[in-house]
Amino acid sequence: GENVEQHPSTLSVQEGDSAVIKCTYSDSASNYFPWYKQELGKRPQLIIDIRSNVGEKKDQRIAVTLNKTAKHFSLHITETQPEDSAVYFCAEAGKIQGAQKLVFGQGTRLTINP
Amino acid sequence: KAGVTQTPRYLIKTRGQQVTLSCSPISGHRSVSWYQQTPGQGLQFLFEYFSETQRNKGNFPGRFSGRQFSNSRSEMNVSTLELGDSALYLCASSLGGSTGELFFGEGSRLTVL
């Protein structure tokens, strides 16, 4: 069935260091992999996404990599800043169901220490 | 452009009651999906509506239902409330394509006593 494992559940890094969050999925038909950021008390917001025909995508300090053979994808944040502190969720969607039916990971609480 | 609006923001119910939550999507968005967020289970998909039709459904019991109106506004209903239904219910709207950003509302926080 559909399942996304996300690790670690909590992550604490020093300001300026990099942070990496990893997710694995089980559905080989999955073709869309977004990452959402949820600040405390706020709504989840899309920060970056990748489609199955691409191996890597970068947007300023944020990058996502996808390994379809191993069925895992990762979020990389470089030069972390205090405002990066939040809960990050990976997700996947299949071609048939579309992006509206996302299967989310359990979330990673990222804390940036000044 | 107004964002996704959910009402009510907070509500308290007792076991056995029923509740209706409302969601107004971003203008022009035809897809509305609902998610339940709890500390233990994370974000779980409930259902999605597109042009008044339920297009996708998650693994929730029949007590959870929804509908969408011709103006794309959506409601979800939970009947015979249980303590475990206490959660943040998030609505998200999108254009409805196979891939694309979901725009979430701030959620309706339901507490069942």
Side-chain angles (χ1 to χ4, degrees):
Chain A
E2 304 157 336
N3 186 46
V4 178
E5 295 288 333
Q6 183 172 347
H7 300 281
S9 57
T10 60
L11 180 60
S12 182
V13 302
Q14 289 299 118
E15 183 178 352
D17 289 349
S18 296
V20 180
I21 302 170
K22 299 181 179 180
C23 290
T24 59
Y25 61 98
S26 58
D27 189 353
S28 57
S30 299
N31 69 338
Y32 176 61
F33 307 89
W35 287 86
Y36 281 80
K37 174 184 179 182
Q38 187 175 29
E39 296 178 21
L40 188 62
K42 297 193 176 181
R43 68 192 79 191
Q45 291 189 297
L46 179 71
I47 56 170
I48 195 167
D49 58 10
I50 193 168
R51 289 159 178 76
S52 58
N53 59 346
V54 176
E56 184 174 1
K57 183 177 179 180
K58 191 173 181 181
D59 182 3
Q60 299 181 25
R61 298 186 296 107
I62 294 173
V64 57
T65 58
L66 171 64
N67 183 326
K68 284 211 73 180
T69 302
K71 294 183 187 171
H72 66 71
F73 56 113
S74 301
L75 177 71
H76 304 252
I77 306 175
T78 59
E79 301 172 12
T80 53
Q81 301 169 3
E83 54 264 36
D84 295 330
S85 293
V87 178
Y88 292 81
F89 293 95
C90 64
E92 58 91 6
K95 186 175 182 180
I96 295 176
Q97 297 90 342
Q100 289 70 41
K101 184 180 180 182
L102 292 176
V103 177
F104 283 90
Q106 291 298 308
T108 296
R109 183 174 298 280
L110 175 63
T111 302
I112 308 301
N113 301 309
Chain B
K1 204 173 193 183
V4 178
T5 304
Q6 291 187 244
T7 57
R9 292 290 315 281
Y10 303 91
L11 64 166
I12 300 173
K13 294 285 186 179
T14 56
R15 282 182 298 174
Q17 288 187 311
Q18 66 104 27
V19 66
T20 299
L21 309 178
S22 179
C23 173
S24 294
I26 291 173
S27 178
H29 285 188
R30 295 167 64 188
S31 170
V32 174
S33 49
W34 289 88
Y35 289 83
Q36 181 194 66
Q37 185 172 25
T38 58
Q41 298 296 320
L43 280 154
Q44 291 192 295
F45 174 80
L46 281 154
F47 29 64
E48 183 239 350
Y49 288 87
F50 183 86
S51 295
E52 302 179 68
T53 300
Q54 187 180 86
R55 196 163 60 168
N56 285 302
K57 189 177 188 309
N59 298 320
F60 278 81
R63 300 185 297 107
F64 292 81
S65 63
R67 59 177 175 169
Q68 186 180 35
F69 302 95
S70 58
N71 61 357
S72 292
R73 190 178 69 86
S74 177
E75 289 181 347
M76 69 163 282
N77 184 277
V78 187
S79 63
T80 320
L81 284 167
E82 300 177 359
L83 296 178
D85 297 333
S86 294
L88 180 67
Y89 290 89
L90 290 163
C91 159
S93 77
S94 72
L95 292 171
S98 60
T99 58
E101 182 173 1
L102 296 185
F103 294 85
F104 283 90
E106 293 187 304
S108 292
R109 184 166 295 281
L110 170 65
T111 301
V112 182
L113 302 177

